[in-house]
Amino acid sequence: MGLIFLGIESSCDDTAAAVVCENRAILASVVAGQTALHDDFGGVVPEIAARAHAERLDLCVEQALAQAGMRLADLDGVAVTAGPGLIGGVLSGVMLAKGLAAGSGLPLVGVNHLAGHALTPRLTDGIPFPYLMLLVSGGHCQFLRVDGPADFTRLGGTIDDAPGEAFDKVAKLLGLPQPGGPAVEAAARTGDPRRFALPRPLLDRPGCDLSFSGLKTAVLRQRDALVAAQGGLHEQDRADLCAGFQAAVAEVLAEKTRRALALSPVPVLAVAGGVAANASLRAALQAVATQAGADFLAPPLRLCTDNAAMIAWAGIEAYRTGQRDGMDLAARPRWPLDRDAAPMLGAGKRGAKA
Ligand code: KG4
Ligand code: ZN
């Protein structure tokens, strides 16, 4: 079976533990969401998230081990998200992982959460390097050329909001439930994407950078104009705004992906992050990949959104390249994945803000 790793993830609002084998078998994957805890606040409250992680992490690990039918002694290592993310949550995970490693004598491997997402296609489909990863989630949006387990080149990314964040904010301003992505996608099904003229931010500029905050503001303006003119929003207004917003996001992401593939041709375009669940975005990306002569790969949704299987897998990949962390492994709120910065960042020499 090869190496077997426990993975621990607690960087945002999902508490997760998983047991993954080097042969790509996921022996267990437990994800405990916190949506209900944050519902009343319209977003993730870091302090509430941190406490919930601290309360649940050990139970998630116990459950994952039970599901896999294993004890710590049966494992070969413990991998944990050491950043980037909400620092209280990351700390909870790192402290637990250190405790487990110290108590069991297992090696400890600190994993970059983004590397977890970026390496997921190797876990799900065993694809070779290189490939292009479009990471689109509630907190992240970037194009990464992946050439090795620790060899990432960022070709571009958002200069403001992440697309998932924009979906969430649009849902909020239209009175739809959180998380906003699925709600906006559902509303968009009966909407006319051409009714409202919404911007296509940064399409006029070269390169692969993206921006979503102006698009969200444009939706807000249209909403306010409708409310002022007719005293409120009709169901159809909501549907049309959602459809228009979603079409703009898909169009901009597709065009920037086309540029990224032109800039750095690779055989496979892969996507990860919660927004990868969006069907119209998937269709647009599939078309771009086909045009560029690349395969399109979208891992199953449960492995696209935050989970610990991807952390265990990234831990195995890092361990195979010789990475071992000690009890001084730092939890880091920021931790870019760029190839140039990777060696120093891996050693934690740049401090928390790097
Ligand atoms: O990757 P993820 O679970 O968490 C992180 O942000 O790391 O992504 C969650 C994000 C949320 O913003 C959610 O609204 C968005 O993914 N999302 C979607 C869809 N499903 C989830 N966005 C658009 N369409 C969807 N179907
Ligand atoms: Zn994530």
Side-chain angles (χ1 to χ4, degrees):
M1 285 221 285
L3 298 167
I4 301 175
F5 264 57
L6 172 69
I8 296 173
E9 157 63 35
S10 57
S11 65
C12 190
D13 59 347
D14 289 305
T15 314
V19 180
V20 171
C21 179
E22 191 178 11
N23 71 6
R24 300 183 16 236
I26 298 173
L27 305 180
S29 181
V30 177
V31 180
Q34 302 180 358
T35 315
L37 293 178
H38 304 286
D39 256 0
D40 291 345
F41 304 96
V44 177
V45 184
E47 182 62 16
I48 293 177
R51 282 166 195 264
H53 287 306
E55 278 167 16
R56 298 168 181 192
L57 265 170
D58 53 350
L59 295 176
C60 284
V61 168
E62 251 176 39
Q63 263 182 42
L65 287 173
Q67 260 182 34
M70 290 187 171
R71 294 167 311 141
L72 278 178
D74 301 319
L75 305 177
D76 298 294
V78 178
V80 62
T81 300
L86 300 173
I87 192 62
V90 179
L91 263 172
S92 299
V94 167
M95 297 309 284
L96 175 66
K98 283 181 183 176
L100 290 172
S104 63
L106 290 172
L108 173 69
V109 177
V111 168
N112 183 310
H113 178 86
L114 302 173
H117 280 303
L119 295 170
T120 298
R122 291 175 48 78
L123 166 64
T124 56
D125 293 78
I127 64 169
F129 302 113
Y131 55 92
L132 180 70
M133 163 58 68
L134 169 58
L135 181 53
V136 274
S137 73
H140 303 290
C141 176
Q142 49 190 278
F143 291 104
L144 292 166
R145 185 188 152 108
V146 187
D147 282 284
D151 193 352
F152 305 97
T153 311
R154 191 177 183 279
L155 301 177
T158 185
I159 58 168
D160 42 54
D161 290 353
E165 198 177 354
F167 269 97
D168 293 342
K169 287 177 179 170
V170 163
K172 198 174 164 195
L173 67 89
L174 294 178
L176 297 170
Q178 298 292 318
V184 169
E185 181 169 27
R189 269 184 214 119
T190 51
D192 172 8
R194 284 170 303 274
R195 174 168 159 207
F196 298 102
L198 295 170
R200 302 291 190 260
L202 296 194
L203 269 201
D204 52 339
R205 277 200 239 159
C208 302
D209 280 340
L210 299 125
S211 160
F212 296 100
S213 118
L215 185 52
K216 167 206 69 196
T217 309
V219 174
L220 175 67
R221 295 238 169 81
Q222 297 282 6
R223 180 205 69 176
D224 288 348
L226 287 168
V227 172
Q230 56 190 39
L233 285 184
H234 300 301
E235 230 18 69
Q236 195 58 49
D237 300 331
R238 248 186 222 106
D240 294 343
L241 281 170
C242 286
F245 167 77
Q246 179 176 269
V249 171
E251 194 182 313
V252 170
L253 278 168
E255 169 57 20
K256 296 287 173 163
T257 303
R258 194 189 61 70
R259 289 185 201 173
L261 280 170
L263 204 71
S264 185
V266 283
V268 178
L269 166 68
V271 68
V275 183
N278 191 279
S280 55
L281 175 61
R282 280 190 189 221
L285 293 175
Q286 170 77 66
V288 167
T290 306
Q291 245 179 26
D295 286 336
F296 177 63
L297 193 79
L301 198 55
R302 64 178 197 291
L303 296 171
C304 266
T305 54
D306 285 351
N307 66 88
M310 69 178 188
I311 302 304
W313 175 259
I316 289 173
E317 293 235 30
Y319 182 85
R320 287 198 301 218
T321 67
Q323 184 184 330
R324 309 284 185 275
D325 288 295
M327 289 299 131
D328 58 349
L329 172 66
R332 312 179 52 180
R334 296 190 193 183
W335 187 0
L337 260 189
D338 306 358
R339 178 166 55 182
D340 298 341
M344 273 178 94
L345 290 166
K349 294 267 161 45
R350 280 206 182 168
K353 291 246 161 180

